[in-house]
Amino acid sequence: MTTPVTIPVSDAPDQPARTPELEALYQGFESELLVPLWTEIGDLMPPEPRSKAQAHVWQWKNLYALAEQAGDLVPVGRGGERRAIALANPGLGGRPFATPTLWAAIQYLNPGEDAPVHRHTQHAFRFVVEGEGVWTVVNGDPVAMRRGDFLPQAGWNWHGHHNITDRPMAWIDGLDIPFQYATDATFFQFGPDEVETREAPERSRSERLWAHPGLRPLTRIAPTGVGTPLLAYRWEHTDRALTDQLELEAEGHPVTLEPGHAAIRYTDPRDGSDVLPTIRAEFHRLAPGTRTAPAREVGSSVHQVFDGIAEITVGARTWQVARGDLFVVPSWQPFTAATEGGADFFRFSDTPVFERLGLDRDIRFTQQED
Ligand code: GTQ
Ligand code: FE2
């Protein structure tokens, strides 16, 4: 005796009538764990990406207040490892995934607290929208964190964080956790329980070796692992680069990405490639009165407003965003930003993955080609 199965609806033309024989065929598929293409093709092979992720804005003031409460109530230590609270995209089933590939979290450390040493295959970075006083120690190299700094840290490097001041500090973490989770690529190890160093130098060893523009050290230190060897991209350089672009534009040199829109990409100083194998990171500055051309890209991005107030449109929805607010642009959804008074944005995306696989598409100033 066969139990009735519901024959899935197919978009295909000329489908046979729902006879008992067809019912039995579908029953056979089900019991053999088989699924025909013709009922799934609309979902699996859409004409263009239809992300399950949704555009969404998280307000910094709400995030920060909750992180502060977590700082009072939840200890940080071995096991939980980090007091990090992740953005959960409303389209991704409550999982702590900002997008299908990217993790974004606010992390909070109280005065004197240590986040223990560990390492994992996930590629990571920190970005600081306010505050200072935490040193992230990467393979024994203490790296100061301050407002506007971008601190990449590729997979499989040991790292712990220490707040050596008398003030709490919060920042954002970006990682490729969802990507490595979906592809079963994750490895993780605990490091020693002792704090490895309490040094708090002004500049990390990585900056002293690598942060001199256009000067590649002829070093006998062999490169280890993937990703940029430079562990801190300081705000003074980012800010200066963007200020210079807009000033050049004002002097009549059309150097910007588009009128009023200056931007930089954080890169590996050895070859100009992305800082991390799976994550691209950029900083964008819009001069007062700028509206960007609509952009569409394969792959997803997370943006944080660093300064100013802007109106952003993702797909059919528009939001007002201010300093610290985070938002998500899902794959292939058109994105525009506009500002009256000027605005600065940090953004990261999974674009390097698609570029390496030949799956990247990007429409900003051109019309779609086939
Ligand atoms: O700071 O090492 O948000 O390992 C998620 C995983 C932060 C970190 C996160 C991590 C870290
Ligand atoms: Fe980590």
Side-chain angles (χ1 to χ4, degrees):
M1 203 193 94
T2 56
T3 49
V5 290
T6 315
I7 299 173
V9 179
S10 172
D11 292 337
D14 301 326
Q15 288 298 293
R18 299 188 173 207
T19 57
E21 290 79 4
L22 193 70
E23 196 88 17
L25 175 66
Y26 278 86
Q27 184 79 55
F29 290 162
E30 192 174 273
S31 58
E32 291 298 318
L33 302 178
L34 300 169
V35 174
L37 174 63
W38 59 85
T39 62
E40 298 289 321
I41 190 160
D43 182 42
L44 296 179
M45 305 179 87
E48 55 183 49
R50 288 180 197 150
S51 186
K52 290 184 177 56
Q54 291 173 27
H56 192 77
V57 173
W58 287 261
Q59 289 189 341
W60 182 247
K61 65 171 177 1
N62 299 342
L63 268 179
Y64 193 89
L66 289 164
E68 242 177 347
Q69 279 179 48
D72 289 340
L73 298 172
V74 184
V76 63
R78 187 51 91 205
E81 300 296 291
R82 301 293 184 258
R83 193 187 287 109
I85 306 155
L87 309 186
N89 191 290
L92 298 178
R95 301 292 295 162
F97 302 157
T99 81
T101 53
L102 299 170
W103 165 282
I106 181 171
Q107 185 169 161
Y108 190 91
L109 268 188
N110 280 310
E113 279 185 333
D114 301 306
V117 182
H118 67 206
R119 67 177 178 178
H120 37 71
T121 48
Q122 287 100 340
H123 303 297
F125 70 80
R126 334 269 156 224
F127 180 74
V128 185
V129 75
E130 62 188 29
E132 56 184 48
V134 169
W135 268 253
T136 180
V137 181
V138 182
N139 295 329
D141 187 7
V143 190
M145 296 169 56
R146 304 180 206 97
R147 171 164 161 84
D149 294 346
F150 170 71
L151 309 120
Q153 174 229 295
W156 217 237
N157 292 298
W158 295 107
H159 57 284
H161 318 306
H162 314 301
N163 187 343
I164 59 163
T165 68
D166 56 4
R167 291 179 312 278
M169 183 181 171
W171 63 91
I172 65 160
D173 300 311
L175 291 91
D176 58 4
I177 293 174
F179 174 73
Q180 294 205 23
Y181 181 81
T183 51
D184 294 328
T186 303
F187 293 81
F188 178 93
Q189 290 176 342
F190 295 116
D193 286 337
E194 313 78 62
V195 171
E196 52 192 332
T197 175
R198 289 229 167 256
E199 285 171 57
E202 179 66 18
R203 288 193 307 150
S204 61
R205 297 200 290 271
S206 85
E207 289 165 272
R208 291 161 67 193
L209 188 59
W210 288 102
H212 306 289
L215 303 177
R216 185 186 172 126
L218 299 179
T219 170
R220 81 186 109 114
I221 296 179
T224 54
V226 295
T228 176
L230 180 55
L231 299 176
Y233 293 67
R234 298 296 178 194
W235 173 240
E236 62 190 277
H237 301 296
T238 307
D239 185 34
R240 182 68 186 270
L242 297 164
T243 302
D244 278 345
Q245 284 188 26
L246 290 176
E247 282 179 7
L248 282 164
E249 178 171 67
E251 292 163 19
H253 306 287
V255 297
T256 52
L257 188 56
E258 59 184 323
H261 180 180
I264 56 97
R265 181 170 301 158
Y266 300 99
T267 59
D268 185 325
R270 294 171 302 184
D271 61 2
S273 64
D274 284 296
V275 281
L276 299 169
T278 51
I279 298 176
R280 171 164 293 172
E282 296 178 346
F283 200 102
H284 292 249
R285 172 168 293 169
L286 302 184
T290 301
R291 172 178 293 276
T292 65
R296 300 183 94 173
E297 304 178 15
V298 170
S300 51
S301 55
V302 180
H303 306 232
Q304 186 173 35
V305 181
F306 184 71
D307 224 341
I309 295 174
E311 182 187 89
I312 58 139
T313 302
V314 186
R317 294 189 64 187
T318 295
W319 289 266
Q320 301 294 321
V321 289
R323 180 163 166 161
D325 293 352
L326 288 139
F327 58 93
V328 160
V329 179
S331 186
W332 212 237
Q333 292 198 14
F335 168 63
T336 312
T339 177
E340 292 289 320
D344 277 1
F345 300 86
F346 169 77
R347 71 163 260 168
F348 65 104
S349 69
D350 54 11
T351 321
V353 174
F354 298 97
E355 286 188 351
R356 213 158 295 122
L357 300 177
L359 294 170
D360 56 305
R361 289 196 193 203
D362 179 340
I363 299 177
R364 182 184 288 275
F365 307 111
T366 55
Q367 289 306 300
Q368 179 169 12
E369 294 152 30
D370 48 32

